[in-house]
């Protein structure tokens, strides 16, 4: 929110006018946060209602948070069984995300995946105030509203919402707070946000390391000042910033190693499960040596496949390439490189899914900083009469962001099937209704979220897990199958071992067998 105080005074007192303007800015900012949270929440809940969410990953997080809410480890049976870790597998062995425990009390109010979707909507919207504050200090209130709007409507946020719920919900808020609070001189508050980031995911230390690089490489001498919307001479970089940069860099790298190589294994995970850099080496030491001795191979991997270049272009072009002007972009660089240097897990470099939302707030802030730097240089070069309107670059970014909306996830808001049930959704609802409360069920990916509040959900995949109930889908492709033929063959194998069909409609088949619950 705006850092201003309304001052009462007599009629005509300029301080009264300033106080009224501050109140209006606060009201506008609060309205933007509320509207964004409403948009995010409505879109997510309508997807849930229309059976467009999936067991991977919404049910995984739902089962884990439910376990937390009952004062247990975050066990997700759907993840453990499908990936052969066992039914008692804790998701801390998959991704080290203990911050998710903060959501557990919400399950005491409402137990179900809708709670996670609403919480994510609010968390993503709460990144707006620190983005506004950071931009307002550099470019003024109008530019700050444009920057906040560009973040709120950005395609990385939209794509994250379209992929259900993930721990990324915490990252835009915490990363924006870390940068903005440090910029405001509130170093302890920035450090608290940085510490919280380390609890979000095992690789968030890379974000801290990138921020440390930014602090270490900030230039000294002439240029941008840190004043609110003022330009002139830049103060020399204080020694404290260099010490902070070293601390962030060292802490980030150390935390990444500890969380990835120690914590995950301690919770039953496989340290090499997400190793995706086989094009550079079989492990980190070999890959690092290969990168140093064969730098051209690194460049080759960055462009192979070309989809990586498209994603990086989509991150920068709507921001008018302004992040390239700001050293603040170094904050996002390690996380981006982690994905773009991979040669496996193709989802990592797609513009879809939630991965780009990890860095979107940083890039918006870098765009604001880049615009401020260019404006300062123009002022020095041309004088005051040559100065461009401070809001112009951010207004351009907002316009481009709005132009991108129809090409990404928000386009589904125009789909009538999202707002009113169609035959497929009615058939899915009828199939789900055949499963008794408390039952163990292997469910097609799109049906798990509708069952997880009242049943123990496993993923229907290419192996039988001995559940008494199965819901299959044979007319639409479902994760993790590769073809409809595989899904139909799977149903026939289930019937061959004693399951009988109790329901069939619009491709959904409910199968049952009188067997003892294995868990």
């Amino acid at each position: 929110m705006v850092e201003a105080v309304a001052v009462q005074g007599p009629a005509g007192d300029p301080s009264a006018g300033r106080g009224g303007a501050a109140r209006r800015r606060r009201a506008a900012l609060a309205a933007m946060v509320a509207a964004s949270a409403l948009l995010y929440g409505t879109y997510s809940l309508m997807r849930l209602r229309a059976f467009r969410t999936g067991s991977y990953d919404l049910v995984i997080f739902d089962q884990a948070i439910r376990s937390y809410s009952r004062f247990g480890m975050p066990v997700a049976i759907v993840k453990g069984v499908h990936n052969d870790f066992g039914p008692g597998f804790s998701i801390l062995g998959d991704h080290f995300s203990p911050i998710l425990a903060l959501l557990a009390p919400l399950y005491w109010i409402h137990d179900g995946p809708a709670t996670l979707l609403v919480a994510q909507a609010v968390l993503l919207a709460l990144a707006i105030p620190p983005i506004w504050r950071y931009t307002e200090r550099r470019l003024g209130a109008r530019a700050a509203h444009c920057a906040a709007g560009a973040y709120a409507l950005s395609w990385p946020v939209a794509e994250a919402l379209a992929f259900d719920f993930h721990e990324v919900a915490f990252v835009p808020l915490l990363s924006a707070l870390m940068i903005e609070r440090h910029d405001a001189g509130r170093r302890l508050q920035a450090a608290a946000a940085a510490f919280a980031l380390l609890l979000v995911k095992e690789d968030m230390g890379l974000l801290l390391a990138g921020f440390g690089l930014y602090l270490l490489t900030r230039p000294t001498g002439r240029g941008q000042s840190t004043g609110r919307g003022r330009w002139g001479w830049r103060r020399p970089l204080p020694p404290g910033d260099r010490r902070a940069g070293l601390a962030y860099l060292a802490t980030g790298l150390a935390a990444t190693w500890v969380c990835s190589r120690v914590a995950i294994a301690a919770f039953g995970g496989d340290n090499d499960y997400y190793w995706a850099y086989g094009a550079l080496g079989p492990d980190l030491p070999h890959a690092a040596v290969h990168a140093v001795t064969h730098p051209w191979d690194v460049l080759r991997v960055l462009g192979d496949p070309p989809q990586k270049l498209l994603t990086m272009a989509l991150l920068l072009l709507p921001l008018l390439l302004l992040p390239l002007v700001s050293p603040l972009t170094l904050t996002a660089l390690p996380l981006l490189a982690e994905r773009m240097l991979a040669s496996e897990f193709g989802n990592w470099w797609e513009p879809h899914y939630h991965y780009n939302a990890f860095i979107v707030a940083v890039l918006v802030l870098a765009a604001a900083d880049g615009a401020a730097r260019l404006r300062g240089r123009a002022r020095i070069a041309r004088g005051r009469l040559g100065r461009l309107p401070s809001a112009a670059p951010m207004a351009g970014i907002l316009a481009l962001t709005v132009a991108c909306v129809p090409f990404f996830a928000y386009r589904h808001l125009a789909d009538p099937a999202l707002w009113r049930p169609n035959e497929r959704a009615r058939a899915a609802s009828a199939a789900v209704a055949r499963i008794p409360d408390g039952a163990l069920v292997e469910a097609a990916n799109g049906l798990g979220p509708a069952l997880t509040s009242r049943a123990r959900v496993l993923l229907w995949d290419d192996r039988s897990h001995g559940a008494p109930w199965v819901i299959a889908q044979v007319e639409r492709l479902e994760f993790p199958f590769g073809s409809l033929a595989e899904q139909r063959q799977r149903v026939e194998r289930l019937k061959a071992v004693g399951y009988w069909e109790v329901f069939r409609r619009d491709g959904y088949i409910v199968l049952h067998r009188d067997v003892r619950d294995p868990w």
Side-chain angles (χ1 to χ4, degrees), residues 174-175 177-183 186-198 204-216 218 240-256 331 334:
L174 293 174
S175 59
L177 280 174
M178 177 181 70
I179 294 169
E180 187 277 326
R181 289 290 81 193
H182 190 93
D183 182 71
R186 302 299 180 91
R187 307 302 167 83
L188 288 179
Q189 294 177 5
F195 175 76
L197 274 170
L198 296 179
M204 286 298 99
L206 296 178
L207 197 62
L208 270 65
F211 187 56
L213 287 176
Y214 159 67
L215 295 179
L216 288 172
R218 287 172 64 190
D241 263 11
R242 295 203 182 278
R243 289 194 294 269
L246 288 171
Y248 275 103
L249 178 62
T251 301
L253 293 177
T256 300
T331 304

Side-chain angles (χ1 to χ4, degrees), residues 77-78 80-82 84-88 438-442 456-459 463-468 515-519:
I77 186 174
V78 64
V81 171
H82 174 68
D84 296 323
F85 288 110
L440 181 69
V441 54
E442 298 174 37
R456 292 171 296 149
V457 175
L458 301 175
L459 183 67
R463 294 168 297 162
S464 179
H465 302 293
V515 294
R516 183 177 179 180
D517 190 329
W519 297 302

